[in-house]
């Protein structure tokens, strides 16, 4: 997934004529680069897993001027937002993010959410924002979540005019 995000970043830089990326404003990149929006959800149990792509998240925060990539971090070992048991960490997180612009959980500019994402709400929001469009869903992770994400892609493809195409890589 990191390689996909890096590819999107590199294509955006080429389109903007970034000197380091080669041909400034390359017309062939413009014609072949069709990604208009990317939603990235990193769901992990351990806080340390955010280390794997901290550099990429910081690069996105610095270089994605048009907000093409929307990042969402979820740490499932902490109780969900609003739960009294996670109130202290949520308060510290908000204060640190406001003061320093850095999340205390992920160590990046991307604020971490707690518990698991509500996947139905994620699909619903994307379907509403991308009516009559084709949306690729790419899942990389344990097989346990594959069925739920595939079923939601099929369900929202039938019930809305947004077409979700599900792809997965299990490990």
């Amino acid at each position: 997934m990191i390689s996909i995000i890096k590819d999107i970043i590199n294509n955006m830089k080429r389109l903007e004529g970034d000197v380091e990326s080669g041909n400034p404003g390359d017309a062939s990149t413009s014609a072949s680069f069709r990604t208009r929006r990317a939603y990235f959800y990193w769901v992990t149990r351990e806080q340390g897993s955010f280390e794997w792509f901290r550099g990429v998240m910081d690069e996105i925060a610095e270089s994605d001027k048009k907000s093409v990539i929307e990042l969402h971090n979820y740490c499932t070992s902490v109780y969900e937002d609003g739960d009294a048991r996670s109130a202290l960490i949520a308060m510290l997180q908000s204060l640190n993010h406001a003061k320093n612009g850095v999340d205390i959980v992920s160590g990046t500019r991307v604020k971490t959410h707690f518990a698991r994402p509500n996947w139905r709400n994620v699909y619903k929001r994307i379907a509403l924002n991308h009516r009559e469009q084709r949306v690729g869903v790419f899942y990389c992770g344990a097989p346990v979540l594959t069925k739920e994400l595939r079923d939601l892609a099929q369900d929202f493809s039938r019930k809305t005019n947004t077409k979700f195409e599900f792809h997965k890589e299990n490990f």
Side-chain angles (χ1 to χ4, degrees), residues 118-170:
N118 180 326
W119 292 115
R120 179 164 291 284
N121 287 345
V122 169
Y123 274 87
K124 180 180 180 181
R125 185 171 68 90
I126 291 171
L128 289 171
N129 289 336
H130 301 281
R131 294 178 180 172
E132 298 183 22
Q133 294 181 24
R134 196 179 91 211
V135 176
V137 177
F138 300 88
Y139 171 68
C140 181
V144 68
L145 191 53
T146 302
K147 181 178 178 358
E148 179 183 357
L149 294 176
R150 178 183 287 123
D151 289 350
L152 283 167
Q154 291 170 348
D155 189 39
F156 275 87
S157 290
R158 280 191 310 272
K159 293 180 179 176
T160 70
N161 58 13
T162 304
K163 299 304 168 215
F164 290 90
E165 296 177 6
F166 183 79
H167 308 273
K168 57 109 177 150
E169 178 68 34
N170 293 131

Side-chain angles (χ1 to χ4, degrees), residues 1-14 20-21 29 33 35 38 40 52-60 63 69 71:
M1 291 298 172
I2 292 172
S3 65
I4 291 171
I5 288 185
K6 290 289 288 179
D7 187 59
I8 292 170
I9 291 170
N10 289 334
N11 278 304
M12 288 184 324
K13 286 180 179 179
R14 260 193 293 282
E20 294 178 17
S21 65
T29 301
F33 182 60
T35 302
F40 185 78
W52 295 350
F53 69 108
R54 177 181 290 172
V56 174
M57 286 192 289
D58 286 338
E59 184 178 359
I60 291 166
S63 64
I69 302 171
L71 297 172

Side-chain angles (χ1 to χ4, degrees), residues 75-106:
C75 187
T76 61
S77 62
V78 180
Y79 297 105
E80 62 186 277
D81 292 330
D83 188 296
R85 295 168 287 190
S86 65
L88 180 60
I89 193 167
M91 184 178 67
L92 291 172
Q93 177 193 38
S94 292
L95 288 171
N96 192 66
H97 199 273
K99 182 179 178 183
N100 303 315
V102 176
D103 183 72
I104 59 172
V105 179
S106 69

Side-chain angles (χ1 to χ4, degrees), residues 45-76:
R45 215 171 145 57
E46 297 88 24
Q47 172 185 352
S49 296
F50 293 119
E51 281 288 323
W52 295 350
F53 69 108
R54 177 181 290 172
V56 174
M57 286 192 289
D58 286 338
E59 184 178 359
I60 291 166
E62 291 172 24
S63 64
D64 187 10
K65 308 285 188 257
K66 296 179 181 175
S67 299
V68 172
I69 302 171
E70 184 177 299
L71 297 172
H72 300 270
N73 291 339
Y74 283 83
C75 187
T76 61

